[in-house]
Amino acid sequence: MPAPAGVPATFQPGPTPLPASAVRKAEPLDEDTRGRLLQGAHHDPHAVLGAHRTEDGVLFRALRPYARSVTVTARGLRAELHDEGDGFFAGVLPLVAIPRRYRLLIAYQDAVVDTDDAYRFLPALGELDLHLIGEGRHEELWRALGAHPMTHDGVAGTRFTVWAPDAQGVRVAGDFNYWDGTAHAMRSLGGTGVWELFLPGVGEGALYKFDITRPDGSHTLRADPMARRTEAPPATASIVHASHHAWRDEEWMAGRGRRPVHEAPFSVYEVHLPSWRPGLTYRQLAEQLPAYVKDLGFTHVELMPVAEHPFGGSWGYQVTGFYAPTARLGTPDDFKHLVDALHRAGIGVLMDWVPAHFPRDDWALAEFDGRPLYEHHDPRRAAHPDWGTLEFDYGRPEVRNFLVANAVYWCEEFHIDGLRVDAVASMLYLDYSRGPGEWVPNAYGGRENLDAVAFLQEMNATVYRRCPGVVTVAEESTAWDGVTRATHLVGAGGFGGLGFGLKWNMGWMHDSLEYMVKEPVHRKYHHDRMTFSMVYAYSENYVLPISHDEVVHGKRSLVSKMPGDWWQRRADHRAYLGFMWAHPGKQLLFMGQEFAQGAEWSERHGPDWWLLDPSYAAEADHRGVRDLVRDLNHCYRATPALWERDTSPEGFAWVVGDAADDNVFAFLRFAADGSPLLSVSNFSPVVREGYRLGVPPAPPVWEECVNSDAERYGGSGVGNPGPVKTEAVPWHGRPSSVLLTLPPLATVWLRPTDSPAGV
């Protein structure tokens, strides 16, 4: 057999060999020990292999399948061990003490390997790490578990550690041992369920998995749950990784926590990286995405799940590598390069995080060590009813630790600015998508998943404590009380808040789209769909999302949802975005919707960028919508009234919310210093001349800052081009009013101006 890959095949002859008579045969291993080592079912191989003092000297034993001979070398020592069969080599040398350093010369059929003995090293994992892992409180778990290149006792190699408490034994298999882990059995470290082995000579780039002996004696080959790098799917091996990225975003990191997120401008461009520009790597994306997002004025990007996943059609929502950015687009350092580039362009980076479930792939987390481990032991709590996946056991401290540390990992190691937590509702309720008899009540007879509540509270508290300026966002679709309330504040339901910074407003999204899809003549019967959100607008800190979920699987793209001909659809699209950007809450828009893509999104080809090609006849129509989005963002960021009091009732006031017959909505937004912005939406195709709206007596003069019907956006050009004077005409319960022309199917923003008002 040739030498294993990645290990030097040259060596120095060394001193004169000891005569064979000086190397005594060792006491034979008992059959049970021998069998357990060969079967990978021994919990402490270091007690048998390596060097050990005996009454007669020092016993050396190695397990090297396929080797023809094994020779021990040290300073002044060279001795060939006796072949005990089945790959075992042993001998007792007449030594007083174990050599401080010794090596093994392993002769194969056509090569000789010169290596340190993996079984001469003490554990490379500290007692404090083990204590914290046992308690489920290791907030930097990725530094303790997984594969870590390091120098241990003066020798370069890799420390492998894995949590597998139900395993009879664990071995490391990889390209460095031809995927045969027989020679590399790991040791169990106390009662923590952690297995460890330092392998000298194995370094960055090595492929590996864990060969786990299940309780029933069968074997399973598993990817490392803590792998920081993986092969590109469909390959599934883990890769030994060490980061070499030098961050250059110090200015961004120092300033991101200066203003609370809910009191800051926050408009988000949602991106599916593999399909934004199909075929681009992380580094190529870094050359294009930051510039594009900055030009459009978005404050943040939100990346659909980046963690490794086997099936591209899941869009990343079925994760197998929770600690590894997907290798489809490059290495972990390549992904850091992209985040760095976005930060240096002044753009925050959110990422979708999926702690609600994981897939059943037999090389990943499912029954990892032969029994339910990461998933709940009760099938009624383990099987996710909607996606054919498994739910995490949030009540198990080590599993909770795996997830909490994972949230911290992305924020600290990759400088992620926010985590949008997917499918929170499915975590919170024991009866989520389950019928009678398919779920088990909690200890108090309720439907709340108390373990999941505790996990989310711990995750949020830990992230906010460790990572200043980071925001967590809940995709939570029910009326759970206190999603964005502090964890120590108990609500009416008896629970402390979940501790999120923001929550997706799914109610606003469904209601407003239900209104917009109606023909204008019917909208008056659904007027309350656009006003109801203000009834609960301050119950949580909200994000208004038009996400990927709303433009796939037959739901049509945003512009295609709108009624009427092409002009009316684009007009409605623009008016809706203007209404959305002015409404209390933060904004999120999925890629392609910023230029009114007509087709549904598909991960296979991404946005239809050809619509913006100047040679395309309708290019101006799509460019006009994108120009509006740019202007909305820039005006939004420059107008504190639109974001400074997003979570305060004092920041909003209806002017007219009951003009159902007119399809008109008008409201005021106020900054902390009281400066206002007036937003008026006319969702009818009729121009409304001389439309009077009540406003505060100050300011005396207003001017349009955004008009979605402007000709440059593809509109009809109706509006209020000059200064608009406040008149002392009481209206809508206010002492003053303005007289406006409302364009058809349009939203108009007006703000105070110092320009003199014309008559």
Side-chain angles (χ1 to χ4, degrees):
M1 178 177 179
V7 181
T10 61
F11 64 95
Q12 298 298 321
T16 302
L18 287 175
S21 59
V23 183
R24 299 180 56 186
K25 287 188 176 183
E27 187 75 22
L29 287 175
D30 63 82
E31 289 303 314
D32 178 65
T33 300
R34 187 182 182 95
R36 285 191 291 130
L37 283 169
L38 291 172
Q39 292 300 315
H42 202 292
H43 75 284
D44 189 13
H46 289 69
V48 181
L49 304 176
H52 303 273
R53 293 190 61 180
T54 69
E55 293 180 357
D56 301 323
V58 175
L59 165 64
F60 291 85
R61 177 172 276 115
L63 176 55
R64 290 288 173 166
Y66 314 110
R68 291 191 167 188
S69 67
V70 175
T71 300
V72 176
T73 68
R75 186 176 181 180
L77 171 68
R78 179 181 173 90
E80 184 175 335
L81 303 181
H82 295 285
D83 188 344
E84 297 184 325
D86 295 326
F88 286 99
F89 296 84
V92 179
L93 277 59
L95 301 174
V96 175
I98 299 172
R100 175 71 181 85
R101 298 183 185 277
Y102 70 90
R103 297 176 68 82
L104 301 179
L105 299 179
I106 307 164
Y108 293 95
Q109 180 176 347
D110 57 359
V112 177
V113 173
D114 179 4
T115 180
D116 281 273
D117 184 2
Y119 295 93
R120 78 167 179 83
F121 295 92
L122 293 172
L125 193 64
E127 290 296 325
L128 178 59
D129 287 313
L130 292 173
H131 174 75
L132 293 174
I133 291 170
E135 282 195 335
R137 297 287 178 184
H138 203 308
E139 294 178 359
E140 297 181 355
L141 189 65
W142 67 93
R143 302 189 191 278
L145 298 182
H148 290 265
M150 63 191 307
T151 298
H152 183 38
D153 193 20
V155 177
T158 296
R159 183 196 70 200
F160 293 90
T161 45
V162 64
W163 178 60
D166 292 320
Q168 288 191 44
V170 183
R171 301 183 289 195
V172 183
D175 59 357
F176 43 83
N177 59 18
Y178 293 99
W179 295 98
D180 183 344
T182 305
H184 294 140
M186 306 175 76
R187 61 181 152 202
S188 176
L189 298 178
T192 61
V194 175
W195 300 77
E196 182 264 359
L197 181 66
F198 174 76
L199 284 184
V202 175
E204 292 181 49
L207 305 181
Y208 73 98
K209 283 187 178 181
F210 294 114
D211 176 3
I212 297 174
T213 306
R214 299 182 178 108
D216 64 2
S218 62
H219 285 255
T220 180
L221 196 60
R222 298 290 175 135
D224 183 359
M226 302 293 298
R228 290 171 294 159
R229 183 181 173 191
T230 69
E231 287 188 291
T236 59
S238 304
I239 302 178
V240 177
H241 172 73
S243 178
H244 301 285
H245 179 76
W247 288 97
R248 295 187 291 158
D249 62 348
E250 298 85 359
E251 182 178 353
W252 171 270
M253 295 296 287
R256 71 178 182 181
R258 289 175 184 161
R259 183 190 290 271
V261 168
H262 62 281
E263 296 176 359
F266 193 92
S267 61
V268 183
Y269 183 62
E270 188 187 23
V271 178
H272 179 251
L273 283 178
S275 69
W276 186 72
R277 293 278 192 182
L280 296 189
T281 65
Y282 291 128
R283 289 186 178 270
Q284 291 167 333
L285 285 163
E287 297 173 0
Q288 298 187 30
L289 182 61
Y292 183 79
V293 176
K294 182 176 183 178
D295 175 65
L296 287 183
F298 287 96
T299 66
H300 291 73
V301 294
E302 180 176 313
L303 309 179
M304 290 169 66
V306 174
E308 193 59 89
H309 51 282
F311 176 47
S314 76
W315 310 331
Y317 290 98
Q318 295 194 8
V319 178
T320 50
F322 280 81
Y323 284 78
T326 180
R328 292 170 174 84
L329 308 180
T331 69
D333 277 2
D334 292 339
F335 178 59
K336 288 181 179 180
H337 178 80
L338 172 59
V339 175
D340 210 344
L342 286 161
H343 282 173
R344 285 184 282 114
I347 299 160
V349 182
L350 315 177
M351 61 170 274
D352 282 9
W353 186 55
V354 192
H357 63 125
F358 58 92
R360 297 173 180 264
D361 300 74
D362 60 7
W363 49 268
L365 294 183
E367 293 192 353
F368 182 74
D369 58 4
R371 292 175 181 164
L373 184 65
Y374 289 91
E375 67 271 41
H376 203 281
H377 65 276
D378 185 339
R380 292 171 295 181
R381 294 278 298 274
H384 199 292
D386 287 348
W387 302 309
T389 53
L390 295 169
E391 297 183 10
F392 284 100
D393 182 358
Y394 306 107
R396 186 160 189 166
E398 299 93 337
V399 175
R400 191 170 63 245
N401 191 176
F402 172 80
L403 293 170
V404 171
N406 187 243
V408 175
Y409 169 76
W410 288 103
C411 299
E412 292 191 353
E413 292 293 317
F414 291 91
H415 291 195
I416 296 298
D417 304 297
L419 299 173
R420 177 267 195 185
V421 183
D422 183 64
V424 171
S426 74
M427 301 165 65
L428 292 174
Y429 298 99
L430 296 167
D431 63 345
Y432 183 88
S433 286
R434 295 180 173 96
E438 297 176 343
W439 61 282
V440 181
N442 63 34
Y444 304 101
R447 58 195 285 255
E448 300 86 1
N449 187 336
L450 304 181
D451 294 335
V453 171
F455 156 66
L456 291 170
Q457 291 173 327
E458 180 182 349
M459 181 277 297
N460 281 312
T462 304
V463 167
Y464 277 102
R465 171 170 50 81
R466 291 187 59 118
C467 310
V470 167
V471 63
T472 59
V473 185
E475 189 226 356
E476 203 284 313
S477 56
T478 74
W480 183 278
D481 176 50
V483 172
T484 58
R485 190 171 62 235
T487 57
H488 66 282
L489 298 178
V490 178
F495 292 97
L498 295 183
F500 285 94
L502 298 167
K503 172 184 174 177
W504 274 22
N505 193 337
M506 309 295 281
W508 172 88
M509 181 268 297
H510 288 299
D511 286 347
S512 62
L513 288 180
E514 184 177 335
Y515 175 88
M516 293 303 302
V517 302
K518 306 295 183 186
E519 292 284 350
V521 70
H522 300 304
R523 285 175 175 168
K524 65 181 179 181
Y525 304 110
H526 304 273
H527 196 79
D528 61 323
R529 295 294 182 185
M530 296 289 268
T531 60
F532 181 66
S533 58
M534 292 311 303
V535 173
Y536 61 87
Y538 305 106
S539 60
E540 303 280 5
N541 304 334
Y542 283 116
V543 174
L544 312 179
I546 300 298
S547 74
H548 64 276
D549 273 332
E550 307 316 311
V551 295
V552 291
H553 298 329
K555 295 180 182 179
R556 297 175 292 173
S557 69
L558 183 57
V559 74
S560 296
K561 296 177 190 288
M562 306 302 173
D565 60 22
W566 175 231
W567 190 96
Q568 291 172 314
R569 288 183 174 188
R570 285 184 293 118
D572 266 334
H573 182 103
R574 296 191 305 266
Y576 180 66
L577 293 179
F579 177 84
M580 172 182 173
W581 253 250
H583 191 286
K586 311 307 181 182
Q587 300 80 34
L588 179 141
L589 189 66
F590 183 59
M591 64 184 195
Q593 312 315 300
E594 78 274 17
F595 57 83
Q597 174 173 314
E600 287 187 337
W601 168 65
S602 166
E603 80 279 359
R604 293 183 180 89
H605 65 257
D608 289 334
W609 296 109
W610 58 269
L611 295 171
L612 297 169
D613 188 324
S615 65
Y616 175 56
E619 177 266 344
D621 297 342
H622 298 278
R623 176 170 40 81
V625 175
R626 190 173 65 172
D627 289 345
L628 171 67
V629 171
R630 179 188 297 109
D631 290 350
L632 286 173
N633 272 325
H634 286 289
C635 185
Y636 165 80
R637 296 177 72 164
T639 309
L642 289 172
W643 41 263
E644 205 167 38
R645 288 169 133 184
D646 258 336
T647 60
S648 171
E650 291 76 21
F652 175 90
W654 281 112
V655 174
V656 55
D658 59 356
D661 288 339
D662 296 339
N663 295 353
V664 169
F665 303 87
F667 53 82
L668 290 158
R669 299 293 309 278
F670 298 98
D673 64 2
S675 57
L677 178 133
L678 175 63
S679 175
V680 188
S681 297
N682 174 21
F683 288 111
S684 73
V686 178
V687 176
R688 300 196 182 279
E689 304 276 1
Y691 205 89
R692 188 171 292 278
L693 295 168
V695 295
V701 182
W702 303 74
E703 67 175 355
E704 283 186 1
C705 55
V706 169
N707 180 344
S708 70
D709 191 51
E711 290 182 356
R712 66 181 180 277
Y713 305 141
S716 61
V718 174
N720 304 272
V724 176
K725 183 179 179 181
T726 300
E727 302 176 3
V729 178
W731 211 259
H732 293 134
R734 288 183 171 81
S736 305
S737 58
V738 291
L739 207 60
L740 300 177
T741 297
L742 305 187
L745 300 176
T747 292
V748 176
W749 293 357
L750 298 100
R751 61 186 175 189
T753 179
D754 295 329
S755 301
V759 179

